[in-house]
Amino acid sequence: MAEKAPAPAPFDPRLLVRFLDAAGPALDGADERLEKVNGLVSKGDYLGAARGAEALLREGLHDLRLAGPYLLGVFLDGGLQAMPVVFQSLSYTLNRNWTFFGPRERKEVFADTGLRWLLKMLNKHLEHHERLKDGTWQRWRAPDNRVPLEQALALSEEIFSAFPRVVPRNDCEAPFRRLTQWLEGHLQSLPAAAGKEEPEAAGEEPEAVAAGEDRAAPPERLRPAAEPAGPWIPTSPALAQLMRKLAAFDALLEQGDHQRAGVVAADVLQVLEHFDPRVYLPSLFSRFFVGLSAHAEQVEPMMQGTESLAFRALDHLYRVDLDAFLAQGPGPSAGGAEE
């Protein structure tokens, strides 16, 4: 009897989550191993392509052309539970290890093309299973996906900030934003973890509190304990992570640990230099972009007529007295003439 073929080794999802200190061997564009990976991708054999990319990465061939097929395989192998390592891999590759990745020629072009392909495929798979509501989708609906999604989204700002530096065309921002928005929406829709206690009814105190024991601290939010006087803005994962860093900086100063406080300070200053309110306060701008996209054809001609006296007068009024500006009647229609 023929012997059974040995089972393949478990897929290693962490080959890109490591610090590099030197560039590896160059991978020629005509290398048949790279062509095989690309051929499997073109045939739709994404897991096969991921295995091929994994083998080359194990050999120390740190090439951006392998990252896309490999990370898609990480996701296909692990689902939403693998999202933290996918985001960690992107952050390590685009930030810490960028210098040591090949190819040496047209590096930014291959990075842009490969990253856009990966993000497109991730979005396609997520939306496909969401539409089918199949078994994969049901597994994604489990409460144990909550923590991995929070961990992944906490890294989104690091990845966003890398795009302008490593892919100057910045065609990756839109699909990455689409991906993070899907993950944020899915996270908010997940049921609570099994066994999680319901909030206490008003006026009731658990026995531990009545006995003087401390209650566990609530999750970080922008909402104060009392009902806010103004609108409440939900805390995005990126903002929650920034709040944790600021709190860590304060705590380290109180402990006199100035070395670690310096590490946190350098990171926070880097965040502020590349601060994107769309990442930290997405819900604040969501309605604005929905309205702008729905009425772009009507609004754009008005934005192009900024040199007209009517526009300049309205602009000055808007800046000095918003209430008076809103009390004004509707302006001229597109085309510049009133009906």
Side-chain angles (χ1 to χ4, degrees):
M1 294 178 63
E3 295 183 0
K4 292 184 178 180
F11 188 81
D12 186 349
R14 303 190 65 84
L15 291 176
L16 296 181
V17 186
R18 58 187 63 181
F19 286 103
L20 302 180
D21 53 14
L27 182 62
D28 189 274
D31 191 302
E32 62 180 13
R33 296 170 297 175
L34 179 60
E35 291 184 350
K36 181 179 179 180
V37 171
N38 292 334
L40 292 171
V41 168
S42 65
K43 294 177 183 178
D45 184 0
Y46 301 125
L47 286 174
R51 280 290 189 179
E54 176 198 26
L56 295 176
L57 288 170
R58 284 183 185 275
E59 295 179 22
L61 296 169
H62 301 114
D63 194 292
L64 293 169
R65 292 168 292 188
L66 302 173
Y70 169 72
L71 289 179
L72 181 61
V74 172
F75 166 72
L76 294 176
D77 184 62
L80 293 186
Q81 297 283 325
M83 273 300 175
V85 76
V86 171
F87 276 49
Q88 286 174 347
S89 299
L90 289 174
S91 181
Y92 270 72
T93 301
L94 299 178
N95 291 299
R96 299 167 177 83
N97 296 327
W98 175 255
T99 304
F100 304 118
F101 266 84
R104 295 185 179 90
E105 297 182 0
R106 304 177 63 207
K107 182 175 178 178
E108 291 79 8
V109 174
F110 284 113
D112 180 73
T113 303
L115 185 53
R116 278 191 292 115
W117 176 84
L118 172 64
L119 296 172
K120 175 184 176 182
M121 296 305 298
L122 290 173
N123 284 319
K124 179 180 178 181
H125 277 81
L126 293 171
E127 293 164 4
H128 171 73
H129 290 294
E130 180 182 29
R131 186 167 58 252
L132 290 183
K133 300 292 190 293
D134 55 5
T136 298
W137 171 255
Q138 298 306 321
R139 289 193 294 275
W140 291 353
R141 292 287 301 150
D144 62 357
N145 290 298
R146 180 178 296 279
V147 171
L149 290 182
E150 290 174 343
Q151 293 172 339
L153 288 167
L155 298 169
S156 59
E157 189 277 333
E158 296 180 17
I159 300 170
F160 267 119
S161 65
F163 290 154
R165 175 172 50 82
V166 301
V167 282
R169 288 180 56 187
N170 208 8
D171 292 335
C172 299
E173 181 176 325
F176 187 68
R177 191 174 306 284
R178 177 178 168 187
L179 173 62
T180 56
Q181 288 175 344
W182 190 97
L183 296 177
E184 287 170 354
H186 190 73
L187 173 62
Q188 294 172 7
S189 72
L190 289 179
K196 185 175 181 179
E197 295 182 2
E198 294 297 323
E200 298 281 340
E204 295 182 3
E205 289 291 333
E207 293 180 4
V209 175
E213 298 180 15
D214 292 336
R215 185 195 297 268
E220 291 176 302
R221 295 181 182 274
L222 285 181
R223 188 200 298 266
E227 281 299 309
W232 171 66
I233 301 175
T235 305
S236 68
L239 183 57
Q241 181 72 352
L242 178 57
M243 293 164 65
R244 290 186 61 199
K245 292 176 179 179
L246 293 171
F249 178 74
D250 291 341
L252 290 169
L253 288 182
E254 291 179 1
Q255 297 167 16
D257 191 342
H258 297 116
Q259 183 179 36
R260 288 198 294 167
V263 172
V264 178
D267 180 45
V268 170
L269 290 174
Q270 177 74 8
V271 169
L272 293 177
E273 289 176 3
H274 302 280
F275 190 84
D276 185 346
R278 295 169 298 180
V279 175
Y280 290 89
L281 301 167
S283 61
L284 182 62
F285 296 95
S286 176
R287 184 176 178 83
F288 168 75
F289 286 115
V290 169
L292 185 61
S293 61
H295 301 279
E297 293 183 0
Q298 293 77 26
V299 174
E300 186 175 18
M302 303 304 167
M303 295 174 62
Q304 294 174 346
T306 57
E307 297 303 317
S308 69
L309 178 59
F311 186 97
R312 287 158 51 201
L314 281 173
D315 182 58
H316 287 304
L317 178 60
Y318 164 72
R319 294 176 188 277
V320 301
D321 191 339
L322 180 59
D323 291 331
F325 172 82
L326 295 174
Q328 288 281 97
S333 61
E338 295 186 6
E339 294 293 328

